[in-house]
Amino acid sequence: MRRVEIVLSKEAFAPGERIDGKVVSICDRSFDCNRVTLSLRGEEMSRIVHGSGKSSHVHMEKKEHISEEMELLGPCEVPEGENACEFSLVLPEHLPASFAGTYSHIEYVMKANIEISRALDQGCKKMIFVQRTLPPLIPSENKGVIEQDGTPIVSVELEKDIVQPGQILPVRFMVSGDQKFRAVRMQIITRESVAPNGNHAQYDNALVEAYRRKEDINQETWNEIALEVPLHCIPPFKTDLIDFTYWLKATLDIAWQFDKVLFMPLRFSLEYREPDDSEGHMKPKFWS
């Protein structure tokens, strides 16, 4: 047998969607087959390591989301050439989306196996990408301040608190008083939080950053920064093991001192909703 492969109608699927495909075998000569099976397993895992070397300790938790197996073909003789076994299965409605992080992952793996008489079994596996659909959101304003000794020194405002892939997130800020600083930095970050067996870990990743030096900032007045959201972003989610969120991180960069930092929560959507008429009816609208 030269090759076994899983062929699907497409690469990405939503929870509750039907997966149609076939297991294809290509062989140089006929062979006796005991059976052909197909399995689909989905697993969520969080894992952190404390310490290093011999003193390291691994904390890990797992959760199974799906485990299915079906027989596609019983005992038979498979002729030479290309042969296919078709299959169809439906994903559960409430599956979390596929995810690959620093401390965690959610993976869906499909495996095909051909049991052969008097020979080693042949098979293959294929990763299944599960993606979620998100409801439209109504944008909200958001405001925050960086304080020093109880006095606001940097004010930050968001007209819309929603990040959308490929679009601009406008941010404005104002530095108050006679502050000694080098620059103001604005970042959109993602935060992956896990706690396997009660052991907490967090990883922040900056998706985009803008840096404005002091000489380019007008103090005591509003300054604007445009943050362009990357086109390929993972929607936020929360499961039993993983919490994945978006934040705006505003930093006052101070020389020879600890920086002053503000975190403001962000929401995520592919589209948003806003009032359409005086009666308050809503309609979906893409960001311009």
Side-chain angles (χ1 to χ4, degrees), residues 45-51 55-62 103-104 194-201:
M45 183 183 74
S46 61
R47 180 181 183 273
I48 61 175
V49 180
H50 286 159
S55 61
S56 65
H57 188 75
V58 177
H59 304 279
M60 182 169 58
E61 271 193 79
K62 293 183 179 181
Y103 296 121
S104 57
V194 299
N197 302 315
N199 297 274
H200 294 266

Side-chain angles (χ1 to χ4, degrees), residues 120-157:
L120 293 175
D121 294 347
Q122 299 293 317
C124 66
K125 66 179 181 179
K126 189 177 186 69
M127 301 295 293
I128 304 298
F129 183 73
V130 176
Q131 59 184 9
R132 295 187 307 126
T133 56
L134 297 175
L137 300 176
I138 301 174
S140 299
E141 293 183 357
N142 198 356
K143 300 179 181 180
V145 295
I146 298 176
E147 295 184 344
Q148 182 170 290
D149 300 326
T151 301
I153 57 175
V154 180
S155 300
V156 182
E157 291 189 356

Side-chain angles (χ1 to χ4, degrees), residues 137-141 161-164 236 246 265-269:
L137 300 176
I138 301 174
S140 299
E141 293 183 357
D161 64 342
I162 295 176
V163 291
Q164 183 189 13
Y246 280 77
L266 296 172
R267 296 181 295 157
F268 181 100
S269 184

Side-chain angles (χ1 to χ4, degrees), residues 1-225:
M1 183 178 298
R2 295 207 309 265
R3 187 171 75 250
V4 179
E5 61 181 17
I6 297 172
V7 180
L8 302 177
S9 57
K10 58 180 184 177
E11 294 300 320
F13 300 88
E17 189 174 358
R18 179 181 299 276
I19 299 179
D20 294 314
K22 56 186 177 180
V23 176
V24 178
S25 64
I26 301 175
C27 51
D28 297 322
R29 58 183 180 180
S30 62
F31 64 92
D32 292 330
C33 170
N34 292 333
R35 64 174 187 158
V36 178
T37 60
L38 182 80
S39 66
L40 175 61
R41 289 180 171 80
E43 179 187 77
E44 175 180 352
M45 183 183 74
S46 61
R47 180 181 183 273
I48 61 175
V49 180
H50 286 159
S52 60
K54 294 183 178 180
S55 61
S56 65
H57 188 75
V58 177
H59 304 279
M60 182 169 58
E61 271 193 79
K62 293 183 179 181
K63 181 177 181 179
E64 188 175 75
H65 289 290
I66 182 174
S67 179
E68 294 187 6
E69 184 170 331
M70 63 178 69
E71 184 174 282
L72 304 182
L73 187 66
C76 65
E77 181 180 348
V78 178
E80 65 176 292
E82 182 175 313
N83 301 274
C85 295
E86 296 184 349
F87 64 85
S88 180
L89 59 89
V90 178
L91 294 174
E93 288 283 350
H94 302 293
L95 286 181
S98 301
F99 175 74
T102 300
Y103 296 121
S104 57
H105 71 246
I106 301 174
E107 291 182 347
Y108 299 92
V109 181
M110 183 174 285
K111 292 183 179 181
N113 187 60
I114 300 179
E115 296 182 9
I116 305 173
S117 300
R118 299 183 299 277
L120 293 175
D121 294 347
Q122 299 293 317
C124 66
K125 66 179 181 179
K126 189 177 186 69
M127 301 295 293
I128 304 298
F129 183 73
V130 176
Q131 59 184 9
R132 295 187 307 126
T133 56
L134 297 175
L137 300 176
I138 301 174
S140 299
E141 293 183 357
N142 198 356
K143 300 179 181 180
V145 295
I146 298 176
E147 295 184 344
Q148 182 170 290
D149 300 326
T151 301
I153 57 175
V154 180
S155 300
V156 182
E157 291 189 356
L158 292 170
E159 182 182 359
K160 296 182 176 71
D161 64 342
I162 295 176
V163 291
Q164 183 189 13
Q167 299 297 321
I168 297 295
L169 178 70
V171 183
R172 68 174 192 163
F173 68 93
M174 180 168 57
V175 180
S176 303
D178 185 20
Q179 305 300 326
K180 295 181 179 180
F181 67 99
R182 290 188 299 193
V184 171
R185 180 186 296 108
M186 294 290 175
Q187 298 170 299
I188 297 175
I189 69 167
T190 59
R191 176 170 294 167
E192 175 193 358
S193 301
V194 299
N197 302 315
N199 297 274
H200 294 266
Q202 176 179 295
Y203 179 76
D204 289 353
N205 177 51
L207 296 180
V208 61
E209 175 181 310
Y211 192 79
R212 188 73 60 83
R213 297 184 180 277
K214 182 177 182 179
E215 53 267 29
D216 299 323
I217 294 175
N218 297 316
Q219 293 187 231
E220 301 293 350
T221 188
W222 289 107
N223 299 263
E224 295 186 354
I225 284 181

Side-chain angles (χ1 to χ4, degrees), residues 253-266:
D253 187 346
I254 306 172
W256 310 110
Q257 295 184 37
F258 289 112
D259 294 339
K260 302 289 186 180
V261 179
L262 169 69
F263 290 96
M264 299 171 64
L266 296 172

